[in-house]
Amino acid sequence: MAATQDKLIIAGREFSSRLIIGTGKYETYQQNADALAASGADIVTVAVRRVNLTNPDEPLLVDFIDPQKTVYLPNTAGCFTGEDAVRTLRLAREAGGWNLVKLEVLSDPKHLYPDMVETMRAAKLLIADGFEVMVYCSDDPVFARKLEDLGCAAIMPLGAPIGSGLGIQNQVNIRLIVEQTTVPVIVDAGVGTASDAAIAMELGCDGVLMNTAIAEAKDPILMAKAMKHAVKAGRQAYLAGRMAKKKYADPSSPLGGLI
Amino acid sequence: MQIIINGDTYDDLKADMSVLDLLSQLGLPKAKIAVECNQEIVPKSGYTTVILQDGDILEIITFIGGG
């Protein structure tokens, strides 16, 4: 497959980049916009919150990242029930007009693991309401299958706890999910540096979603660029098909014809 | 009339205000926000026709940075 034709397709929409970045934790919206440009990402995750009524002139994300040019993927961060998630995303749909959304229903603030039972319930409600649901989930192949069966547009297992930067903790599970899933699989959370993103892609994931790895790097713009290359490199390595692992050395230079 | 907006009470509002009137008074750009009145979405097409009532509870949201 030629790299130029290798598009990420989610719910019938085509994206050139397999990297999705968050918009939280940056020092400024301008820094965020610069990191986005460096990353080459087509999609950003955003949160839905009350407007600041005491300072209506406060800078808004949309003034820095144009929703006409970059796809906004509204999330449900802070929602603990299916009803909260539906209410939040209905407002997001009205504000932006998009039905592609990121569902995350968290449980305990200490580990930010998804509450999978409530996530399933929320996914059902959202899909019935016409949303295309990209779902943050545990790296459990059983729940991943159930979410796909419900009609989710993308399965997004965590690589490690949100914001931890620990890298892909359970490569076996991520690979199992990739093998069984027919919609895109996107590792969401846990990436810390470029090699983590490359590993996710080499496992056959369709994309990687990250926020803190870029936003909390010492130089977020440079890290955004590194992530762009890592995701591409990992994808190309996956498509190329890695060599078989061997137990012993195998010389690259022919042994015949030695002087 | 009195309306609760984003959890705060506003009790000096004129009667018969439309949603658009309120947004103008608050200085909010209507293209960048969404409004919910008593847990029902107010579509942008309804901003001039939906007239606020005493005791209404409004949520006005926008997009901010998030992961």
Side-chain angles (χ1 to χ4, degrees):
Chain A
M1 198 187 312
T4 49
Q5 295 162 346
D6 181 37
K7 305 274 190 194
L8 171 62
I9 299 170
I10 306 170
R13 292 166 222 217
E14 239 180 52
F15 303 99
S16 302
S17 173
R18 293 178 176 273
L19 174 59
I20 300 174
I21 72 167
T23 54
K25 300 181 178 174
Y26 286 91
E27 278 176 17
T28 60
Y29 281 147
Q30 186 57 55
Q31 185 189 54
N32 195 171
D34 294 342
L36 171 64
S39 75
D42 298 319
I43 307 175
V44 292
T45 56
V46 298
V48 177
R49 291 292 181 272
R50 286 171 166 173
V51 294
N52 183 351
L53 292 169
T54 55
N55 181 13
D57 296 326
E58 190 179 58
L60 295 176
L61 182 65
V62 291
D63 298 327
F64 291 84
I65 296 174
D66 183 354
Q68 305 296 326
K69 293 181 186 153
T70 300
V71 173
Y72 271 37
L73 187 65
N75 71 24
T76 57
C79 295
F80 291 92
T81 68
E83 284 73 16
D84 287 349
V86 171
R87 187 180 174 201
T88 299
L89 291 177
R90 277 185 178 157
L91 277 163
R93 180 164 61 187
E94 181 56 30
W98 313 287
N99 64 352
L100 189 66
V101 296
K102 170 178 163 177
L103 172 64
E104 56 177 297
V105 184
L106 305 180
S107 51
D108 186 331
K110 191 169 177 183
H111 50 61
L112 296 178
Y113 247 65
D115 177 334
M116 290 308 298
V117 173
E118 202 58 31
T119 297
M120 293 273 299
R121 213 168 65 76
K124 256 185 236 174
L125 292 170
L126 287 166
I127 291 164
D129 206 28
F131 287 97
E132 302 281 3
V133 178
M134 299 173 66
V135 59
Y136 170 67
C137 55
S138 60
D139 59 3
D140 174 350
V142 180
F143 269 119
R145 167 72 52 76
K146 287 177 195 275
L147 287 167
E148 185 182 6
D149 290 346
L150 284 180
C152 288
I155 305 297
M156 305 206 293
L158 53 85
I162 293 173
S164 69
L166 290 169
I168 314 299
Q169 294 295 296
N170 197 336
Q171 295 190 23
V172 174
N173 277 22
I174 297 293
R175 181 66 204 159
L176 284 170
I177 292 171
V178 165
E179 282 180 14
Q180 74 179 21
T181 307
T182 58
V183 295
V185 174
I186 295 169
V187 160
D188 179 359
V191 166
T193 188
S195 53
D196 298 332
I199 286 169
M201 296 308 293
E202 286 172 13
L203 288 169
C205 290
D206 297 279
V208 181
L209 195 165
M210 63 181 74
N211 192 146
T212 315
I214 296 176
E216 289 192 357
K218 287 200 176 69
D219 183 341
I221 316 301
L222 189 55
M223 186 58 89
K225 206 177 284 179
M227 291 301 185
K228 172 173 133 178
H229 293 306
V231 167
K232 279 190 181 167
R235 177 65 181 174
Q236 287 174 358
Y238 171 72
L239 293 176
R242 61 154 297 143
M243 63 166 279
K245 290 183 181 178
K246 297 166 191 168
K247 286 188 175 169
Y248 302 99
D250 181 6
S252 297
S253 307
L255 294 173
L258 280 168
I259 53 167
Chain B
M1 65 177 175
Q2 189 185 75
I3 288 177
I4 295 173
I5 310 169
N6 290 355
D8 292 329
T9 303
Y10 288 71
D11 50 15
D12 53 352
L13 297 169
K14 285 184 297 178
D16 298 327
M17 279 184 116
S18 69
V19 170
L20 188 63
D21 293 336
L22 178 72
L23 295 179
S24 304
Q25 184 172 326
L26 294 171
L28 294 172
K30 65 171 182 163
K32 301 169 182 174
I33 54 144
V35 179
E36 183 191 74
C37 181
N38 304 327
Q39 302 223 8
E40 294 276 333
I41 300 263
V42 182
K44 288 197 193 321
S45 58
Y47 283 4
T48 50
T49 52
V50 172
I51 304 301
L52 298 169
Q53 308 294 324
D54 189 53
D56 278 349
I57 299 175
L58 263 65
E59 292 289 343
I60 307 177
I61 63 90
T62 189
F63 295 115
I64 67 155

